[in-house]
Amino acid sequence: NAAPREVLRAVEEWRAAWSAREVERYLATYAANFKPGGGLSRPKWEQQRRERLRRASFVVVKVVDPQVTVAGSEATAVFTQIYESDTLMESGRKWLGLVLAGDRRWRIREESFEK
């Protein structure tokens, strides 16, 4: 089954876009129906992401030991996320809930992070 590999490829695209600070490519890894945490609206969340990525002079995101589960058109990826920028360094457990979009690409529908 190629689905777990495709999900890992989507996670890598998300990680690479974030690390490269390529905002539009990064935001494109999220599903149209992505629900941000903390009660933020999607437009507010996108604005916040743009500002944070612009502010950082560098970003390095590492995905360690990803575990993928696929059930039809939905998948989860759980891994240790290591984040480093000129203003913040943290690591913790990341959970991504992904969905297979109409273009047959996996996109992030929900996410959580626990330090």
Side-chain angles (χ1 to χ4, degrees), residues 18-19 21 26 48-49 52-53 55-62 81-92 94 113-115:
W18 190 5
S19 291
R21 297 172 41 234
Y26 168 78
Q48 184 185 74
R49 301 310 301 158
R52 287 183 181 170
L53 284 172
R55 213 174 338 176
S57 60
F58 75 92
V59 171
V60 177
V61 180
K62 294 179 183 156
Q81 172 184 296
I82 301 169
Y83 174 91
E84 184 180 349
S85 73
D86 52 325
T87 60
L88 179 65
M89 187 171 176
E90 69 181 4
S91 65
K94 184 75 165 203
F113 178 75
E114 194 175 296
K115 293 181 193 179

Side-chain angles (χ1 to χ4, degrees), residues 68-81:
V68 172
T69 306
V70 179
S73 63
E74 297 187 0
T76 59
V78 181
F79 50 89
T80 298
Q81 172 184 296

Side-chain angles (χ1 to χ4, degrees), residues 4-105:
R5 268 195 318 278
E6 292 165 6
V7 171
L8 284 174
R9 196 172 310 125
V11 171
E12 173 55 22
E13 172 65 19
W14 165 82
R15 186 210 63 77
W18 190 5
S19 291
R21 297 172 41 234
E22 294 179 6
V23 179
E24 297 310 317
R25 197 174 108 200
Y26 168 78
L27 293 175
T29 64
Y30 287 85
N33 63 347
F34 172 71
K35 298 283 188 264
L40 287 176
S41 67
R42 174 75 184 250
K44 266 285 197 225
W45 173 81
E46 285 191 11
Q47 178 187 356
Q48 184 185 74
R49 301 310 301 158
R50 283 187 170 89
E51 289 169 3
R52 287 183 181 170
L53 284 172
R54 262 197 299 268
R55 213 174 338 176
S57 60
F58 75 92
V59 171
V60 177
V61 180
K62 294 179 183 156
V63 170
V64 180
D65 192 26
Q67 307 294 311
V68 172
T69 306
V70 179
S73 63
E74 297 187 0
T76 59
V78 181
F79 50 89
T80 298
Q81 172 184 296
I82 301 169
Y83 174 91
E84 184 180 349
S85 73
D86 52 325
T87 60
L88 179 65
M89 187 171 176
E90 69 181 4
S91 65
R93 206 76 184 132
K94 184 75 165 203
W95 177 88
L96 298 176
L98 299 100
V99 63
L100 195 55
D103 62 1
R104 307 302 296 160
R105 293 184 61 180

